Amino acid sequence: MTSQGECRYCKKTFKKTSISRHLIAELKQRGQQKKEKAGKSFLVKVEPDKKYYGASGFFLFLWLDGDDTMDNIDMFLRDIWLDCCGHLSAFYKPVQRNKSENQEIHSLMELLESGDEALLEKLMEDNSGEIPFEEKAKDILYKDLQLKYQYDFGTTTYLTVTVVEELAFAAVDNEVLLSRNEPLEILCSVCRKEPAVKICSADWGLFCGKCAKKHAKECEEFDDYGKLPVVNSPRMGCCGYDGGRIDTKRDGFFKKR
């Protein structure tokens, strides 16, 4: 799905595929002009995990200070994209295993499948790579690193956090939103003409205002619990999510020009 976003600084609009190069240039220029104090910071891209969602138009580009904590980054993601009911969440770094470790895990799996459930606890020892929230960004992040992130371990939203660039100066704040995708052009799944404004979590239909009224007469769950707003987030339609608390002007449905 093609998407585009506006640069925080120059206010120009770029496609998702090209905006990272522009943002790197913008930040490096700030560093060369000595606009920022010494330190370390990171340009990161956040998007839905392709393993679960395929290609997606949703994205965030964030400028993170090296002294920021993973806990603060988690809270930022919750506030702009995710939080509905205060669910648990976690960051995971890639787990690298050598050949002997892979053989051991394979053997454990075989034994477990044979019925020896006592090995389950050993099999599930800390192989996940979960990152403690108190860790600082500068101690975890480096260029080209890809972290996985999950919010809500029931109706889970899966994200990938990619470190696009590492910078030799501090960010102007702990987390700076440099760009996010403009609301995606999602049309009503019934009339296929008007922008979708409501989603039914009972049957995953997308409806414009007119078609939503018709659907309410056909779906008992719609007005009861299923009706949720179309918002600019991959959490749309999940649990009770109805939008974020950061950059709210871009958090609604797209509007025809």
Side-chain angles (χ1 to χ4, degrees), residues 182-184 230-232 247-255:
E182 297 295 323
L184 303 179
V230 170
V231 291
N232 192 13
D247 191 41
T248 54
K249 67 179 182 179
R250 289 188 177 88
D251 199 31
F253 58 91
F254 94 100
K255 297 176 176 61

Side-chain angles (χ1 to χ4, degrees), residues 39-80:
K40 182 180 285 189
S41 58
F42 305 89
L43 172 63
V44 304
K45 175 175 65 175
V46 186
E47 58 190 337
D49 192 329
K50 293 178 182 178
K51 176 181 176 181
Y52 298 94
Y53 307 102
S56 171
F58 293 111
F59 68 81
L60 303 172
F61 278 93
L62 308 179
W63 185 18
L64 304 177
D65 190 72
D67 285 327
D68 197 12
T69 63
M70 302 306 292
D71 184 46
N72 285 341
I73 299 168
D74 169 65
M75 291 305 300
F76 187 92
L77 293 178
R78 288 168 174 264
D79 285 346
I80 195 170

Side-chain angles (χ1 to χ4, degrees), residues 45-138:
K45 175 175 65 175
V46 186
E47 58 190 337
D49 192 329
K50 293 178 182 178
K51 176 181 176 181
Y52 298 94
Y53 307 102
S56 171
F58 293 111
F59 68 81
L60 303 172
F61 278 93
L62 308 179
W63 185 18
L64 304 177
D65 190 72
D67 285 327
D68 197 12
T69 63
M70 302 306 292
D71 184 46
N72 285 341
I73 299 168
D74 169 65
M75 291 305 300
F76 187 92
L77 293 178
R78 288 168 174 264
D79 285 346
I80 195 170
W81 251 12
L82 302 166
D83 204 18
C84 57
C85 306
H87 296 293
L88 296 174
S89 58
F91 290 96
Y92 301 93
K93 58 186 176 182
V95 177
Q96 297 181 346
R97 301 187 179 95
N98 59 37
K99 185 176 180 180
S100 62
E101 287 174 325
N102 284 330
Q103 288 174 340
E104 179 184 0
I105 290 173
H106 181 69
S107 298
L108 287 171
M109 287 298 293
E110 288 183 336
L111 288 169
L112 183 60
E113 290 171 1
S114 72
D116 191 350
E117 295 184 6
L119 291 170
L120 178 61
E121 188 172 341
K122 182 178 181 183
L123 180 65
M124 297 183 67
E125 284 180 354
D126 190 21
N127 289 310
S128 66
E130 185 173 344
I131 300 170
F133 278 131
E134 63 268 20
E135 292 280 359
K136 289 187 176 182
K138 65 184 179 183

Side-chain angles (χ1 to χ4, degrees), residues 57-250:
F58 293 111
F59 68 81
L60 303 172
F61 278 93
L62 308 179
W63 185 18
L64 304 177
D65 190 72
D67 285 327
D68 197 12
T69 63
M70 302 306 292
D71 184 46
N72 285 341
I73 299 168
D74 169 65
M75 291 305 300
F76 187 92
L77 293 178
R78 288 168 174 264
D79 285 346
I80 195 170
W81 251 12
L82 302 166
D83 204 18
C84 57
C85 306
H87 296 293
L88 296 174
S89 58
F91 290 96
Y92 301 93
K93 58 186 176 182
V95 177
Q96 297 181 346
R97 301 187 179 95
N98 59 37
K99 185 176 180 180
S100 62
E101 287 174 325
N102 284 330
Q103 288 174 340
E104 179 184 0
I105 290 173
H106 181 69
S107 298
L108 287 171
M109 287 298 293
E110 288 183 336
L111 288 169
L112 183 60
E113 290 171 1
S114 72
D116 191 350
E117 295 184 6
L119 291 170
L120 178 61
E121 188 172 341
K122 182 178 181 183
L123 180 65
M124 297 183 67
E125 284 180 354
D126 190 21
N127 289 310
S128 66
E130 185 173 344
I131 300 170
F133 278 131
E134 63 268 20
E135 292 280 359
K136 289 187 176 182
K138 65 184 179 183
D139 297 324
I140 298 295
L141 305 183
Y142 54 85
K143 186 177 179 180
D144 297 329
L145 173 68
Q146 277 199 344
L147 300 180
K148 299 299 181 182
Y149 174 90
Q150 295 180 21
Y151 173 81
D152 181 2
F153 301 121
T155 310
T156 309
T157 299
Y158 300 89
L159 304 178
T160 299
V161 181
T162 303
V163 182
V164 178
E165 190 65 76
E166 185 173 334
L167 303 156
F169 48 87
V172 295
D173 205 346
N174 280 338
E175 309 91 22
V176 181
L177 176 63
L178 296 179
S179 186
R180 74 182 293 186
N181 64 282
E182 297 295 323
L184 303 179
E185 295 187 9
I186 302 173
L187 295 178
C188 174
S189 56
V190 178
C191 71
R192 301 186 184 279
K193 295 178 180 180
E194 297 300 318
V197 298
K198 299 293 181 182
I199 183 170
C200 180
S201 62
D203 63 9
W204 297 103
L206 291 154
F207 307 98
C208 64
K210 185 177 181 180
C211 292
K213 292 179 180 178
K214 293 180 180 178
H215 183 71
K217 297 177 181 178
E218 303 167 354
C219 177
E220 294 180 359
E221 292 86 0
F222 189 56
D223 282 331
D224 186 21
Y225 70 87
K227 181 169 61 178
L228 290 169
V230 170
V231 291
N232 192 13
S233 161
R235 186 73 178 162
M236 176 180 66
C238 294
C239 196
Y241 188 71
D242 60 3
R245 298 182 284 272
I246 295 174
D247 191 41
T248 54
K249 67 179 182 179
R250 289 188 177 88

